[in-house]
Amino acid sequence: DYPQYVGLKDTDIRNSGDLTVPAGTKINWVFETRNTDVLSVRISDSLFALANQSENVFTHQMVAMKNTNYSLHAANSFLKNPDSVTYRISVIPDQFPSIIVNEERDSLTQKDLFFTGEAQDDYGFKRLNFSYSYAESSDKTKEIGLRKTLPLSVPAGTSGQFFYHWQLGELGILPGDKISYYFEIWDNDQVNGSKSSRTLERVYAAPTLDEVKKERDEKNEDIKDKLQKSIDDAKDLQEKLEELRKDLLNKEEMGWQEKKQVDEILKQQRELQKQVDELKKENQKKDQKESQFNQRKEEIQQKQEKLQELFDELMNDEMREMYEELQKMMEELNKDELQEQIEQMDMNSEDLEKELDRALEQFKQMEWEMKMEDSIEKLKELAKKQEELSEKSKEKDADEEKLKEEQDKLNEEFENLEKEMEDIEKLNEELENPNSMPDVEEQKEEIEQEMQKSSEQLGDKKSKKASESQKEASEKMEQMAQKMEQSMQQNSAESMEEDLDALRALLENVITLSFDQELLMSDISKVDKNDPKYIQYGQTQRKLKDDAKMVEDSLFALSKRIVQLQAAVNREIGLVNNHMEKALEEIAERKTSEVTSNQQYVMTSFNNLALLLDEALKAMQQQMACKKPGTGNCEKPGGSGSPKPGAGDMKKMQQALSDQLKKMKEKMGEDGNKGENKGGQGGMSKEIAQMAAKQAAIRQMMDKM
């Protein structure tokens, strides 16, 4: 009669003999005999008289728990001491359950562990638990060694898999914390009681802050090297595009050599695209890993997000599509269309080079700020440790030898900090616009002297004097940290004020140039192409182009410092200069329609640029308002700010103008209307007049802005 949990039913054994049964099996014996008055069974050393059920039929019951022998003894009135017959009972013991667990860690978050386990038992399972306890923690509220148990779903049957996702982030784990953990499973042995098996105890060790920063610094160096390589590759790509463009100008049709050049350019572009995509992922992964254990100030986090946005925009969809289009044109061997596409790609390659250069500069600035912040926090932490050691040194029964070991360790930590500060200074020198750094050399020397003095005094068993030196060193560390922190804040405020002024001036210049271009477009559309004023208008256009080039240089320099500026600003000013150059070429040919078309494109880009600069200006003003208490709601700088008038409407109107320009360009075509007959000129003039009216409406909005 097997136990219920085994799943077998009562079994009558009619033939005596050797038995093999699972542990806990209840055996019901029924012995049929002849001429037997008494039947006994000896099990181990115990003799049992069997119950007489009926004539010559005897019964007995037992539960098999271990291996044993049994013998039968039959007797009657004639045979008092009969021979016996012996048999063997073999018991199959209930085995311990087995459990195997594989572990995978999320490479990005570091705080998510995924377990896949497999459990087996000969009869089944009762429960499955996951247990953990803190082995080390910097959090005083955590009880070291206190084990916590989480019940998990038990696999069905006698074998099966289970899964578990452990989210350590919910535990509030800190840098340097260590947690031990294991899985334990119980079988459902109802005879002897449940038996358990557990996995080997493992330890999750959260990286220390120093380890986090070291890994971050290594990644930063790698990203900077890759950024510089991408800049060099973008320059090389730009040179090859320019070389191909010149070759195509001198040939009537595209040959094998030019096709090979295009192949090489496309291959190089794909490699550059791959590099840029990897840069995006690496920077994002680096920031996410660090943020798991090193929470930054909100301002630094915002800059990190803006920098990641800049990385994301490096290789935009428009540029990818352009290279795909180049591939198609090469296959079709269309020289004229290919030339136009290469010219456009040349511009985009230049934009990419600028954005990579900008990303590298902002990346270096971000790295400098983070390292400065780390040094300040480290200095404050050292000051606290030094003060605690000073209090210990005051005690009467102070152990000078142990205290000296602790002091020597602090001395070493301060030396390491000084080396880090030297690296920060070198990094600052690499910036195009180095930050102003406080002069703390004198304070560093004084701190070193006090710390060294305290070590010597502890060595001489002068703990009280050592306590005074330690206290002095702690205070000087606090002062040094405060000086560095104030310098950073002041530097940030001054830089933002300077950038705001520069951005305002740049916005005014852009709007002025837009108005001047609008006036010139109006004048040149009305004058006859044979009028001497045409030459004068050409000179004015040249002057506007020179001014726009100055704006481009200033804007690029400013974009390296201001994270709020979108990547589109450098693209828009690039379009301005490109269409101004085309307008000058058409002025030389006296092609008024093409001139005004390119001038309209210039104004469109100027207007787009003005909107982008205004948005960046507003974002910076909002950020400054948030830093100054009592200036009102951060969403509305100054407490009473209101959105700029007509910003949304301006964007819609500007988009409508862009669409109209594209249609007009398509209508003109390569060999279409050149403005040389009255009908064509009149039709084109009507469209230009409509666009000028829309431009006037935008100008009114800009005046209000």
Side-chain angles (χ1 to χ4, degrees):
D1 181 10
Y2 294 88
Q4 183 67 32
Y5 71 92
V6 178
L8 302 179
K9 297 180 179 180
D10 294 350
T11 303
D12 291 333
I13 300 175
R14 291 284 174 175
N15 299 305
S16 58
D18 291 339
L19 303 175
T20 300
V21 294
T25 299
K26 183 171 69 176
I27 301 174
N28 294 320
W29 271 309
V30 179
F31 296 104
E32 296 180 357
T33 64
R34 288 180 297 172
N35 302 320
T36 302
D37 297 331
V38 178
L39 183 65
S40 301
V41 60
R42 181 179 295 279
I43 301 174
S44 296
D45 296 326
S46 300
L47 184 66
F48 302 93
L50 303 188
N52 195 331
Q53 184 177 350
S54 61
E55 186 179 358
N56 292 325
V57 177
F58 299 86
T59 62
H60 182 65
Q61 291 184 342
M62 71 165 285
V63 176
M65 298 299 295
K66 60 181 180 180
N67 293 336
T68 187
N69 293 324
Y70 74 95
S71 58
L72 298 172
H73 305 266
N76 57 24
S77 57
F78 301 101
L79 187 63
K80 301 296 183 181
N81 296 303
D83 289 336
S84 62
V85 56
T86 301
Y87 299 101
R88 174 77 175 168
I89 299 177
S90 299
V91 174
I92 303 171
D94 188 358
Q95 300 294 329
F96 276 76
S98 66
I99 181 170
I100 299 173
V101 174
N102 292 320
E103 175 186 315
E104 294 289 340
R105 296 192 181 188
D106 191 312
S107 61
L108 193 61
T109 67
Q110 297 291 300
K111 287 187 179 181
D112 285 288
L113 273 64
F114 300 91
F115 301 97
T116 302
E118 186 171 354
Q120 290 185 340
D121 187 64
D122 40 8
Y123 299 119
F125 310 102
K126 184 175 182 181
R127 66 179 183 272
L128 171 66
N129 286 343
F130 176 73
S131 297
Y132 70 91
S133 66
Y134 275 87
E136 292 179 23
S137 180
S138 54
D139 187 350
K140 305 295 183 184
T141 63
K142 305 294 184 186
E143 295 185 53
I144 305 300
L146 178 63
R147 190 155 294 281
K148 296 185 178 180
T149 301
L150 304 174
L152 306 179
S153 298
V154 178
T158 58
S159 68
Q161 283 191 324
F162 62 90
F163 305 93
Y164 181 56
H165 174 201
W166 192 23
Q167 297 173 295
L168 286 95
E170 296 177 354
L171 301 180
I173 192 168
L174 299 175
D177 284 2
K178 291 183 179 179
I179 302 180
S180 65
Y181 57 94
Y182 60 81
F183 289 85
E184 188 168 13
I185 194 162
W186 283 261
D187 67 9
N188 57 359
D189 188 345
Q190 297 177 8
V191 177
N192 302 296
S194 292
K195 302 180 295 299
S196 71
S197 297
R198 66 171 62 169
T199 60
L200 290 174
E201 191 166 348
R202 300 176 182 177
V203 175
Y204 174 87
T208 64
L209 272 179
D210 288 340
E211 289 171 341
V212 171
K213 291 169 185 174
K214 183 181 179 182
E215 184 180 1
R216 177 204 66 197
D217 292 344
E218 289 172 354
K219 288 290 183 183
N220 282 346
E221 289 301 317
D222 185 46
I223 290 173
K224 284 192 293 185
D225 290 343
K226 288 180 178 177
L227 268 171
Q228 187 58 59
K229 183 179 184 306
S230 296
I231 291 171
D232 296 338
D233 290 347
K235 284 180 180 176
D236 185 52
L237 183 62
Q238 195 176 341
E239 289 172 3
K240 287 181 178 178
L241 281 166
E242 181 62 25
E243 184 181 343
L244 177 60
R245 191 176 68 84
K246 288 178 180 177
D247 288 347
L248 289 175
L249 282 172
N250 298 325
K251 294 186 177 181
E252 293 184 3
E253 57 183 36
M254 196 170 93
W256 178 85
Q257 186 64 34
E258 288 72 36
K259 188 175 180 181
K260 185 180 178 183
Q261 283 179 266
V262 174
D263 274 334
E264 290 177 358
I265 287 171
L266 288 170
K267 183 179 178 182
Q268 188 172 343
Q269 184 274 334
R270 282 191 290 270
E271 186 60 36
L272 181 58
Q273 181 178 317
K274 184 180 176 183
Q275 288 177 24
V276 171
D277 288 339
E278 286 176 358
L279 275 170
K280 296 177 192 177
K281 293 175 184 176
E282 283 187 34
N283 188 63
Q284 186 177 35
K285 186 177 179 180
K286 171 188 69 73
D287 289 345
Q288 288 182 349
K289 285 185 73 172
E290 186 190 8
S291 65
Q292 294 291 313
F293 297 100
N294 189 19
Q295 291 299 318
R296 291 287 176 190
K297 291 180 180 177
E298 186 178 354
E299 184 179 352
I300 295 285
Q301 287 179 343
Q302 289 175 352
K303 287 184 178 180
Q304 283 180 321
E305 290 170 5
K306 286 290 183 183
L307 186 58
Q308 184 58 40
E309 288 177 14
L310 179 57
F311 273 98
D312 291 339
E313 294 173 357
L314 283 175
M315 186 70 76
N316 55 40
D317 293 337
E318 182 184 347
M319 195 176 296
R320 296 174 198 270
E321 291 171 6
M322 198 173 294
Y323 279 95
E324 289 174 7
E325 191 65 29
L326 179 65
Q327 178 75 50
K328 292 177 185 176
M329 289 179 181
M330 184 192 72
E331 292 169 0
E332 296 169 1
L333 299 177
N334 190 322
K335 178 198 164 190
D336 294 334
E337 289 183 3
L338 189 63
Q339 278 182 302
E340 187 177 345
Q341 190 74 5
I342 288 171
E343 185 179 347
Q344 189 64 33
M345 285 170 57
D346 195 13
M347 285 178 57
N348 278 273
S349 296
E350 186 179 355
D351 292 339
L352 176 60
E353 182 194 336
K354 283 184 178 180
E355 289 307 303
L356 286 166
D357 195 4
R358 179 188 174 197
L360 178 59
E361 186 66 16
Q362 289 194 11
F363 192 87
K364 289 179 180 178
Q365 175 64 25
M366 183 74 64
E367 187 180 14
W368 179 85
E369 290 179 15
M370 288 192 294
K371 282 180 172 286
M372 277 291 287
E373 188 182 90
D374 291 342
S375 295
I376 292 168
E377 291 302 317
K378 184 68 174 176
L379 197 53
K380 288 179 180 179
E381 184 185 338
L382 276 173
K384 186 179 178 182
K385 288 181 181 179
Q386 188 67 85
E387 187 175 3
E388 289 173 355
L389 195 58
S390 174
E391 293 299 319
K392 289 181 184 178
S393 300
K394 283 182 183 179
E395 297 173 3
K396 292 181 180 180
D397 56 346
D399 184 347
E400 282 91 351
E401 188 175 341
K402 186 177 180 181
L403 291 172
K404 186 177 185 305
E405 288 179 7
E406 291 185 39
Q407 183 60 58
D408 290 341
K409 187 178 178 182
L410 288 182
N411 293 357
E412 186 179 347
E413 287 185 39
F414 187 74
E415 287 176 11
N416 292 335
L417 178 62
E418 286 184 291
K419 291 177 184 177
E420 289 175 14
M421 292 181 68
E422 289 175 6
D423 293 338
I424 293 172
E425 288 179 4
K426 290 177 183 177
L427 182 60
N428 192 45
E429 290 170 3
E430 293 176 10
L431 293 169
E432 291 184 12
N433 297 287
N435 303 281
S436 59
M437 293 186 65
D439 184 7
V440 291
E441 287 301 318
E442 186 177 342
Q443 285 171 299
K444 283 196 290 187
E445 290 177 9
E446 291 174 352
I447 292 168
E448 281 180 2
Q449 290 172 3
E450 294 296 339
M451 294 178 81
Q452 186 59 40
K453 191 192 297 182
S454 64
S455 286
E456 293 170 358
Q457 289 165 339
L458 287 169
D460 296 335
K461 309 295 183 182
K462 299 176 182 178
S463 57
K464 287 187 179 179
K465 286 189 175 181
S467 175
E468 294 174 5
S469 299
Q470 290 165 341
K471 182 71 174 174
E472 187 70 23
S474 174
E475 290 175 355
K476 290 184 181 297
M477 285 182 194
E478 282 284 356
Q479 292 169 7
M480 182 175 162
Q482 189 176 5
K483 187 175 182 180
M484 291 170 66
E485 199 165 32
Q486 288 175 348
S487 175
M488 265 198 88
Q489 292 172 353
Q490 184 178 353
N491 187 64
S492 176
E494 288 177 356
S495 295
M496 188 168 285
E497 286 285 359
E498 290 174 7
D499 292 341
L500 266 174
D501 291 340
L503 196 56
R504 286 193 194 97
L506 203 57
L507 178 56
E508 290 175 8
N509 289 338
V510 167
I511 293 174
T512 301
L513 281 170
S514 178
F515 290 162
D516 290 345
Q517 184 66 79
E518 182 183 15
L519 180 61
L520 179 61
M521 184 185 74
S522 176
D523 290 341
I524 207 167
S525 64
K526 297 173 184 175
V527 71
D528 187 87
K529 63 181 180 180
N530 297 314
D531 195 310
K533 284 185 178 180
Y534 219 93
I535 298 174
Q536 182 182 339
Y537 292 149
Q539 293 171 346
T540 304
Q541 186 65 67
R542 173 65 64 184
K543 171 70 167 56
L544 289 177
K545 187 178 184 305
D546 293 340
D547 292 343
K549 180 60 180 170
M550 291 175 63
V551 168
E552 181 180 18
D553 295 339
S554 300
L555 182 60
F556 181 50
L558 198 60
S559 69
K560 291 184 178 183
R561 303 197 303 270
I562 300 178
V563 294
Q564 287 85 355
L565 281 174
Q566 297 179 34
V569 294
N570 286 315
R571 285 201 293 272
E572 289 295 346
I573 194 65
L575 287 170
V576 164
N577 281 291
N578 181 56
H579 285 291
M580 278 191 172
E581 184 63 40
K582 287 183 177 180
L584 284 168
E585 292 172 3
E586 304 299 350
I587 285 173
E589 298 293 328
R590 305 292 177 100
K591 297 178 180 178
T592 304
S593 297
E594 285 84 345
V595 170
T596 52
S597 173
N598 279 293
Q599 288 173 333
Q600 183 64 63
Y601 271 115
V602 169
M603 291 166 61
T604 299
S605 290
F606 268 140
N607 293 344
N608 289 337
L609 190 56
L611 289 170
L612 291 168
L613 294 179
D614 183 62
E615 286 173 0
L617 190 65
K618 187 177 180 183
M620 290 178 70
Q621 289 170 336
Q622 181 175 323
Q623 186 178 345
M624 288 189 71
C626 290
K627 288 184 177 181
K628 296 177 182 178
T631 54
N633 188 343
C634 288
E635 294 300 321
K636 296 181 180 180
S640 60
S642 58
K644 55 179 177 281
D649 294 335
M650 286 178 68
K651 286 183 179 179
K652 291 176 183 176
M653 291 181 69
Q654 199 64 59
Q655 184 60 46
L657 267 179
S658 298
D659 294 341
Q660 191 171 352
L661 272 169
K662 287 177 182 176
K663 289 178 182 177
M664 188 177 77
K665 187 177 180 182
E666 290 171 4
K667 192 181 294 184
M668 287 166 63
E670 184 68 27
D671 299 313
N673 184 0
K674 302 296 182 180
E676 295 176 359
N677 60 71
K678 281 189 176 182
Q681 182 68 36
M684 196 60 67
S685 298
K686 183 179 179 181
E687 289 190 27
I688 292 171
Q690 290 174 346
M691 287 189 286
K694 292 178 182 178
Q695 191 69 47
I698 294 176
R699 184 170 74 167
Q700 289 178 0
M701 292 182 181
M702 291 178 101
D703 285 334
K704 291 179 182 179
M705 185 176 72

